[in-house]
Amino acid sequence: MGYNIAIDGPAGAGKSTIAKLVAKEKGYIYVDTGAMYRGMAIYFLEKNISPEDTEVIAADCKNVKVTIGYEEGGQQVYLNGENITGKLREEAVGNMASKISAIPAVREALLGLQRDLAKTKDVVMDGRDIGTCVLPDADVKVFLTASVQTRAKRRFDELTEKGETCDLAEIEKDIEERDRRDMTREIAPLRQAEDATLVDSSDMTIPEVVAAITALCH
């Protein structure tokens, strides 16, 4: 059995950044479940299938294979054999992923792959429902969060750095909407597992968050 670290939390909490650093620190494999949902989202966006067409999406899931590979220490995501890593962070992809992740067939398609990885490897896995649903027996569970304002500012800075024009108030509104959607969905809603440690990163540096989480590992 592998040693499993589950990191859950809302959009923009820095889960991916922190999970990657914790994995590097511990020498574990980082599994970005959000990237797997984004891979699915790219498939349906490219086919112009609306997230409201849940029956079409459910039927088409069998034609989608999202896999994770590692090249030169970096995670690469493949959609039906094609490397789509460069498309994953697009805003439209994130919004689509948030919507389709509430569809049971989509979750079912990805769950098996995630659990198989965790059975055989030491992993750090981040997402919305890792500690509550995907890996309920994880050795360490963390609920990583930050205020809406902090998360919006981080996203704003990230986009501005890439040269994209964006509106801080719009990003804040988008994050609030995504939180509401993630927390109220019927299937595996975003919530803190009873045995998870809460880490609020609003006033913490990245090294401080990494240190707080690695300190929980035995």
Side-chain angles (χ1 to χ4, degrees):
M1 283 292 288
Y3 190 92
N4 300 165
I5 302 171
I7 302 178
D8 291 310
K15 296 185 299 296
S16 300
T17 301
I18 299 301
K20 280 177 198 164
L21 291 169
V22 170
K24 191 176 179 184
E25 179 90 12
K26 300 293 292 179
Y28 294 177
I29 287 174
Y30 165 59
V31 182
D32 181 356
T33 60
M36 296 168 82
Y37 281 102
R38 283 170 181 261
M40 279 262 195
I42 287 168
Y43 175 85
F44 293 117
L45 280 169
E46 288 180 349
K47 289 194 76 175
N48 287 319
I49 296 173
S50 164
E52 276 71 51
D53 288 339
T54 52
E55 286 181 20
V56 175
I57 287 174
D60 214 5
C61 274
K62 64 181 183 296
N63 299 317
V64 191
K65 189 177 183 189
V66 180
T67 53
I68 286 179
Y70 294 86
E71 288 170 23
E72 295 168 11
Q75 177 183 266
Q76 304 295 314
V77 181
Y78 300 87
L79 171 61
N80 293 338
E82 181 199 344
N83 190 326
I84 52 158
T85 310
K87 301 176 183 175
L88 292 175
R89 305 311 300 176
E90 292 170 11
E91 205 70 13
V93 173
N95 283 324
M96 182 70 158
S98 176
K99 289 171 184 170
I100 65 167
S101 65
I103 300 169
V106 172
R107 306 191 70 77
E108 200 58 43
L110 293 174
L111 197 57
L113 176 62
Q114 293 161 4
R115 284 182 175 158
D116 286 347
L117 264 170
K119 272 180 200 163
T120 55
K121 312 275 187 192
D122 295 331
V123 302
V124 181
M125 203 178 283
D126 74 307
R128 302 284 192 278
D129 63 340
I130 308 305
T132 52
C133 298
V134 182
L135 302 177
D137 299 321
D139 300 277
V140 173
K141 296 181 188 179
V142 172
F143 192 83
L144 180 64
T145 190
S147 68
V148 170
Q149 292 74 21
T150 300
R151 289 184 279 142
K153 182 68 169 67
R154 286 175 185 167
R155 184 70 180 140
F156 176 82
D157 291 344
E158 189 186 321
L159 293 170
T160 306
E161 207 172 288
K162 289 179 184 172
E164 294 181 33
T165 306
C166 50
D167 180 88
L168 183 60
E170 197 60 41
I171 293 171
E172 207 169 294
K173 188 178 159 193
D174 186 49
I175 284 175
E176 282 178 339
E177 171 57 28
R178 206 177 290 189
D179 282 355
R180 187 197 60 74
R181 197 160 58 223
D182 290 341
M183 288 173 181
T184 58
R185 68 187 184 199
E186 283 182 34
I187 309 289
L190 169 67
R191 63 180 175 82
Q192 182 179 340
E194 285 179 16
D195 53 349
T197 301
L198 177 68
V199 177
D200 187 327
S201 70
S202 298
D203 300 310
M204 293 171 79
T205 64
I206 288 172
E208 283 171 347
V209 178
V210 173
I213 294 173
T214 53
L216 298 170
C217 308
H218 304 298

